[in-house]
């Protein structure tokens, strides 16, 4: 069955960096666009970024453009989110998600999320 | 950026009754609209995509309708497990693929 397992979250100081990973299994990872979505504590969902099947095409929400970088390693069945210059408002649970095949959205399968806390 | 607005923020309905949730887009998104359900401590679950297509395994009591800027999620007969927060999200043309702020469906 499809599994998405995020890791790499934790406590980081403002201005710091963190790299999130999403390990995928149960499907042909290289056939799917992949996305990151986040949810601040007690708040709604925010789409952040997607990456194409090859990794050649990416897109970002304005709130993270220039600070976050999405990437993937199809040989390792892994998705990444490099987060730099972190701010308090980046505190959230970060989810990776797989869409319906052939599409960018909607987000069909989700990981369990990893919590990122930005605080001094 | 397309703004998605959901109403009401909270909806109180009794089990067995019908629930109707609304989502409005600030500009037309055609039928590029999905609905998700999220329970406390869990990741969201896809219910409906393309405005009216149920995702695999979603019970028939969930239905979606609408196009353009006005969308509705209807739950025909509420079951205890349906009380949750519901989000809409557009996937029209280009990003950002914004979500609505959510509707909390609570037991009356």
């Amino acid at each position: 069955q499809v599994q998405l397992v995020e890791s790499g979250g934790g406590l980081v100081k403002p201005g710091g960096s963190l790299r999130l990973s999403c390990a995928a299994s149960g499907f042909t990872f290289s056939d799917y666009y992949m996305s990151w979505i986040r949810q601040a504590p007690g708040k709604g969902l925010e789409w952040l970024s997607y990456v194409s099947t090859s990794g050649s095409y990416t897109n970002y929400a304005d709130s993270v453009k220039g600070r976050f970088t999405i990437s993937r390693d199809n040989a390792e069945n892994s998705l990444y989110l490099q987060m730099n210059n972190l701010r308090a408002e980046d505190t959230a649970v970060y989810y990776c998600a797989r869409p319906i095949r052939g599409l960018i959205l909607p987000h069909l399968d989700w990981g369990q999320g990893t919590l990122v806390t930005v605080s001094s | 950026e397309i703004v998605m607005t959901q109403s009401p923020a909270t909806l109180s309905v009794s089990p067995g009754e019908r629930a109707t949730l609304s989502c409005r887009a600030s500009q037309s998104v055609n039928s590029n609209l999905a609905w998700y359900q999220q329970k406390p401590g869990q990741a969201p679950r896809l219910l409906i995509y393309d405005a009216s297509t149920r995702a695999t395994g979603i019970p028939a009591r969930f239905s979606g309708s609408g196009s353009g800027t006005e969308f509705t999620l209807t739950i025909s007969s509420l079951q205890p497990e349906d009380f949750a927060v519901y989000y809409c999200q557009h996937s029209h043309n280009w990003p950002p693929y914004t979500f609505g702020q959510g509707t909390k469906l609570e037991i009356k």
Side-chain angles (χ1 to χ4, degrees):
Chain A
Q1 74 280 20
V2 171
Q3 265 204 311
L4 298 169
V5 180
E6 301 94 338
S7 61
L11 176 63
V12 61
K13 289 181 168 54
S17 297
L18 214 53
R19 189 197 197 202
L20 305 183
S21 299
C22 170
S25 61
F27 65 101
T28 305
F29 181 71
S30 57
D31 284 350
Y32 291 82
Y33 276 60
M34 294 293 294
S35 292
W36 287 98
I37 301 102
R38 72 182 177 186
Q39 186 170 37
K43 302 298 184 183
L45 300 167
E46 180 184 16
W47 173 85
L48 295 181
S49 180
Y50 75 73
V51 61
S52 64
T53 53
S54 66
S56 298
Y57 299 101
T58 60
N59 219 305
Y60 300 91
D62 285 346
S63 59
V64 303
K65 197 174 296 184
R67 299 188 300 123
F68 290 12
T69 303
I70 190 172
S71 63
R72 64 191 298 159
D73 184 336
N74 287 341
E76 295 292 326
N77 292 331
S78 292
L79 176 72
Y80 304 104
L81 187 67
Q82 177 66 42
M83 304 186 296
N84 297 331
N85 191 20
L86 284 160
R87 308 165 179 165
E89 54 265 34
D90 296 318
T91 294
V93 173
Y94 286 73
Y95 296 99
C96 64
R98 177 186 84 134
I100 292 173
R101 185 172 180 171
L103 303 177
I104 298 173
L105 265 72
H107 311 297
L108 176 60
D109 296 294
W110 299 62
Q112 85 289 348
T114 187
L115 176 63
V116 172
T117 303
V118 184
S119 174
S120 54
Chain B
E1 174 176 320
I2 297 175
V3 177
M4 308 301 292
T5 303
Q6 293 185 241
S7 61
T10 304
L11 182 62
S12 299
V13 183
S14 300
E17 293 189 341
R18 181 189 194 92
T20 303
L21 289 68
S22 296
C23 175
R24 174 177 292 178
S26 60
Q27 59 186 267
S28 176
V29 298
N30 292 342
S31 295
N32 299 311
L33 192 284
W35 290 95
Y36 302 86
Q37 176 194 67
Q38 187 178 34
K39 297 179 181 179
Q42 296 185 16
R45 176 173 73 144
L46 176 66
L47 299 175
I48 301 284
Y49 63 97
D50 291 347
S52 60
T53 302
R54 271 191 305 277
T56 302
I58 301 304
R61 65 180 181 272
F62 291 91
S63 63
S65 63
S67 65
T69 62
E70 301 283 343
F71 300 89
T72 300
L73 174 69
T74 301
I75 311 170
S76 59
S77 177
L78 280 164
Q79 301 300 302
E81 61 268 27
D82 299 335
F83 293 95
V85 179
Y86 292 82
Y87 295 94
C88 62
Q89 181 193 28
H90 85 84
S91 56
H92 186 58
N93 287 347
W94 47 83
Y97 299 121
T98 46
F99 290 88
Q101 80 280 16
T103 290
K104 182 180 180 180
L105 181 58
E106 63 177 27
I107 301 174
K108 186 174 183 180

